[in-house]
């Protein structure tokens, strides 16, 4: 088996595409319309999506502007090299950071949370790498990196 995608129902497809591409840095991989059944789909991901990485499928059911998430949905998780810088970049792009970067309670893994325009939570999990005194990290080569690029 292979993990392919996670589907989220959204109230405004273009607003969500803008968030995932402009704020989180994903690529719009493909998009389709189904007039007969009145829905639109957009698939987004990093590095070309499948087969290398899972994708997010945004589904817009025409005429439905919001959904009740219920109490079962938790979050989507993205790996980032530097959660602190990722939060700065997300805020600068107009994104909503709902938990600033910092160690998880009771542990040392650095995480942060962002909320998309439909209220879905996205956890940013900082990759293990070189840790400096100020808490920031670099990759194993010491090279600069895009803090939102999936690891």
């Amino acid at each position: 088996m292979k993990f392919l995608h996670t589907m989220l129902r959204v109230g405004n497809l273009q607003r969500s595409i803008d968030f995932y591409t402009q704020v989180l840095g994903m690529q719009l991989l493909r998009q389709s319309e189904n007039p007969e059944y009145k829905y639109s789909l957009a698939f987004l991901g990093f590095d070309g999506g499948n087969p290398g990485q899972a994708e997010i499928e945004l589904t817009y059911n025409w005429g439905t502007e919001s959904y009740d998430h219920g109490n079962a949905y938790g979050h989507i998780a993205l790996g980032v090299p530097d959660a602190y810088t990722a939060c700065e970049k997300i805020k600068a792009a107009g994104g909503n950071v709902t938990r600033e970067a910092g160690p998880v309670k009771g542990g040392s893994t650095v995480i942060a949370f962002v909320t998309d325009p439909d209220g879905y939570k996205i956890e940013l999990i900082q990759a293990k790498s070189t840790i400096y005194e100020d808490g920031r990290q670099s990759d194993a080569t010491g090279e600069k990196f895009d803090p939102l690029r999936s690891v």
Side-chain angles (χ1 to χ4, degrees), residues 23-144:
V23 176
L24 292 185
M26 291 184 179
Q27 302 159 343
L28 176 60
L29 303 170
R30 61 193 175 282
Q31 194 170 348
S32 65
E33 303 281 325
N34 191 315
E36 182 181 357
Y37 295 102
K38 299 182 181 173
Y39 70 86
S40 303
L41 302 176
F43 288 83
L44 298 101
F46 294 103
D47 297 325
N50 287 319
Q53 292 201 21
E55 301 171 356
I56 291 181
E57 172 190 346
L58 302 177
T59 299
Y60 172 63
N61 293 300
W62 299 1
T64 304
E65 295 184 15
S66 65
Y67 291 92
D68 177 9
H69 295 173
N71 61 4
Y73 176 81
H75 62 268
I76 295 167
L78 300 176
V80 296
D82 183 333
Y84 298 93
T85 303
C87 286
E88 291 169 11
K89 189 173 180 180
I90 287 167
K91 288 188 277 189
N96 182 17
V97 174
T98 52
R99 187 222 193 253
E100 293 290 338
V104 66
K105 291 180 182 177
S108 60
T109 301
V110 175
I111 66 168
F113 276 90
V114 213
T115 302
D116 86 352
D118 289 281
Y120 294 109
K121 302 291 183 197
I122 299 148
E123 181 180 22
L124 306 176
I125 301 174
Q126 184 165 292
K128 305 280 189 240
S129 58
T130 304
I131 301 177
Y132 296 100
E133 288 181 16
D134 67 356
R136 303 215 179 233
Q137 295 185 334
S138 73
D139 66 13
T141 67
E143 295 290 319
K144 293 183 180 179

